[in-house]
Amino acid sequence: MNARSIACLLALTTGASLLACGPADSAQADPAPANEFGPPDVEIPDPCALLTFAEVEQYLGRAPLSTETPDVGTHARMCTWMTPSQARPIIGLHVTTGAMKDWDAFVEYMVEGEWGDPRTEGQRVDVGRFGYLTAEELQVHTEQGWLLDFGQIRGAGASEGVLELARLAVGRLP
């Protein structure tokens, strides 16, 4: 997945305009795909409460010393577990509404938006309703309609570890 794709996915999870992420020759983009759904009007859960420091350390092999919760707007919440130097996060987690209903709808949305083809640029994983794992991130679309986006995945065994962390976080969602 290229830098533009990642930036667009982050923009989507924070409720930013899709106009900036659409194809270059596109005059407008549909901000709410028909296959997108979300939980009813409820407060977005605190992502820092979905995982413990010990769990992050166990699965990623590095002990976080702190978390940061940057303000990302009203449509998403984010938590970042920081390394001892705090120069680079171990992992970041966005929680927002707007999960896709199924894998096929997700693939169609990504391909039509020219953000890449999930069938060839990553892998579908069995977590939540479905997950999408690349070298840089894991997106989890849940049964409740939450979209969890794990990014900045670093550490020994990070890909395997982030799947376990995602399963724990999904189990703690309202």
Side-chain angles (χ1 to χ4, degrees):
M1 181 173 283
N2 63 33
R4 181 173 182 253
S5 298
I6 293 168
C8 289
L9 287 172
L10 287 175
L12 290 172
T13 62
T14 58
S17 170
L18 294 176
L19 294 175
C21 296
D25 61 348
S26 168
Q28 291 188 336
D30 180 15
N35 289 312
E36 186 178 291
F37 76 111
D41 258 351
V42 296
E43 183 177 340
I44 295 174
D46 177 5
C48 291
L50 298 177
L51 299 171
T52 68
F53 280 87
E55 290 164 344
V56 172
E57 179 178 14
Q58 177 183 355
Y59 291 108
L60 297 182
R62 295 176 69 190
L65 293 182
S66 65
T67 58
E68 290 183 359
T69 53
D71 182 12
V72 293
T74 59
H75 301 288
R77 293 182 76 182
M78 181 176 182
C79 184
T80 304
W81 285 265
M82 303 301 292
T83 61
S85 69
Q86 296 202 359
R88 297 182 74 168
I90 295 176
I91 191 167
L93 172 57
H94 266 90
V95 178
T96 187
T97 60
M100 299 299 285
K101 289 185 179 180
D102 59 51
W103 174 254
D104 292 334
F106 174 70
V107 169
E108 180 181 338
Y109 180 70
M110 292 290 288
V111 170
E112 285 182 3
E114 296 184 12
W115 296 304
D117 187 340
R119 298 168 294 196
T120 60
E121 296 179 12
Q123 65 182 15
R124 180 182 177 161
V125 291
D126 185 26
V127 60
R129 183 178 286 260
F130 68 88
Y132 172 59
L133 180 66
T134 69
E136 297 89 18
E137 73 172 325
L138 168 64
Q139 284 189 31
V140 178
H141 300 255
T142 72
E143 295 295 334
Q144 305 96 324
W146 298 111
L147 173 61
L148 281 66
D149 188 354
F150 291 83
Q152 304 169 334
I153 304 166
R154 293 182 179 83
S159 292
E160 297 80 21
V162 77
L163 287 170
E164 292 304 315
L165 292 173
R167 288 184 181 99
L168 290 169
V170 166
R172 293 176 180 146
L173 286 169

